[in-house]
Structures are given as structure tokens and as C-alpha cells.
Amino acid sequence: MTSSFVLLVVAKAPVPGLAKTRLCPPATPAQSAEIAAAALLDTLDAVCAVPDAEPVVAMTGDLGAAARSAEIGLALRRATVIPQRGWDFGARLANAHADAAAVHAGLPILQIGMDTPQVTPESLTAAIAPVRHGRDSVRGPAEDGGWWALGLAEPRHAQVLAGVPMSLDDTGERTLRALTACGLRPATAARLSDVDTMADARAVAAECPNGRFARAVAAVGGRAVA
């Protein structure tokens, strides 16, 4: 079956002390890395189950030092893995789109991160639907003012991300302005909460209680999920 779009995951190796540090406290660095690893694994499960999608992971960090490194390594075999490159996060996002497009030329791209483990194959299919039906772009806003998904019919337009400051309260609005400034008319996908704080993590875990992520979150503070 021919793939109809690329599902691009921008990910960071969940190394203790470097991953999800805003979860500490109450989480320890090791627990934060476990939560990040679980989020990535649950995300990859959803991405790789989307019909007609070509999974690509833009990876950075030392996977050998990461939590659940062996499990993540096995999961990544289901995707094309490319290295991240660029001087800051905006540039790395732009380059990830370009590099994914070089591997799978001619396909639109839906890019997400590893901070929304509540995604499902159905929600990802719904997110890219506007682009698959003629829109030039789609943006999925995040509750914190950023965005969790960006879909582009022409991946070259992702170059505008290199000029957008990331991880700010108005990054989503800045991204929207950058897209419209280059002539795009983005549709809007569902709003999701991504994971920055422990409050975020617990709220997201409640949305996907049966996954690895919920179990890793519940382990903080001695709470466990069967």
C-alpha cells in the first residue's frame, strides 16, 4: 500500500537529568526520564498504527544512556530515523521537515512531538485530514499556548519555523502569524495538553490510563497502576 503522508515525530533521548526536568520535584530525574520514555513509546505505538502513514523520527541525544533504551531502540525499527540538526529548536524543526521530505519526496507531513502520549491513530488521522483534503496546512494548538501538531502540504514551508521562538506562552500564535505571512491558511486541529509539569502529566495520564505513560506517572510518589 502506498503511503499518503509522513508522520514525523521530533524526539529527544530520555536521559536522566536531561529529560523532563520540570517534573522534578516531585519526580526524581530517573522517574522523569521514565515518564519521557513512556511518552515516546506510547507515541510511537500510535504513530506506527496510522493507516497510510510513513513514520519518521527525528532524534537527538544519547539513546544509549536513556531510560528504556533497548525498548526504544526496538520501537524505532518501525520508523525511518533521521538525526536532528540545527542551532536551536526552531531550526531543528525546520530541518526535520526538510530531511523527512528528502526521504519521502512528494508527501505532505504531519509533525508532532513526544509530549502528547494521549494521541491515537484516530486523532492523528483526524489532525492531518484537512491537508489530505486540500488545505495547505493545519496547526494543532496546545493548552499552554504552543502547538502540538503541524501539518504541511508543502514541507518547504516549515522553514518559517526557524524564525519562531519556541517554548513561549505565545509560540502558537507566533507560528500562526509566520504561516499566514508566507501565504498559508492553516486549518485548526483539536487542542491538546502537552506535558511540561507534573500537573500536566497527571491530567494527560487520565486521558490514556492504560498506557505506559500513565503507569510511569502513577509511580511518582509511590502510586502504582496495575
Side-chain angles (χ1 to χ4, degrees):
M1 182 180 293
T2 302
S3 298
S4 60
F5 70 102
V6 171
L7 244 173
L8 170 63
V9 182
V10 176
K12 177 181 178 180
V15 178
L18 299 177
K20 288 296 167 196
T21 56
R22 289 176 62 187
L23 302 182
C24 306
T28 66
Q31 287 173 326
S32 295
E34 285 288 327
I35 289 171
L40 175 57
L41 288 164
D42 284 354
T43 298
L44 291 175
D45 279 352
V47 165
C48 292
V50 176
D52 303 333
E54 193 68 52
V56 175
V57 180
M59 198 79 194
T60 191
D62 182 1
L63 190 56
R68 303 197 188 192
S69 59
E71 190 177 355
I72 293 170
L74 287 173
L76 289 174
R77 292 183 182 179
R78 297 178 288 170
T80 300
V81 180
I82 58 176
Q84 290 184 30
R85 57 186 181 88
W87 58 91
D88 63 12
F89 191 45
R92 292 199 301 273
L93 290 175
N95 289 333
H97 279 259
D99 293 344
V103 175
H104 299 292
L107 295 182
I109 292 177
L110 178 69
Q111 179 249 309
I112 65 172
M114 54 184 279
D115 291 341
T116 51
Q118 72 271 45
V119 294
T120 64
E122 293 76 18
S123 65
L124 293 170
T125 298
I128 192 61
V131 170
R132 296 178 74 181
H133 292 94
R135 294 294 292 265
D136 52 37
S137 54
V138 61
R139 182 183 62 102
E143 294 287 356
D144 63 0
W147 50 270
W148 70 272
L150 178 66
L152 295 169
E154 289 286 349
R156 60 186 173 83
H157 287 127
Q159 286 303 312
V160 302
L161 298 176
V164 177
M166 297 292 162
S167 302
L168 300 178
D169 291 343
D170 63 347
T171 290
E173 183 60 33
R174 288 172 183 256
T175 303
L176 179 60
R177 290 199 300 266
L179 294 170
T180 56
C182 72
L184 301 183
R185 298 180 61 190
T188 302
R191 182 181 297 270
L192 294 184
S193 176
D194 54 15
V195 176
D196 293 315
T197 67
M198 186 54 67
D200 298 332
R202 287 172 175 150
V204 170
E207 297 181 37
C208 51
N210 299 317
R212 301 177 190 85
F213 180 78
R215 292 192 291 274
V217 170
V220 175
R223 297 179 301 166
V225 173

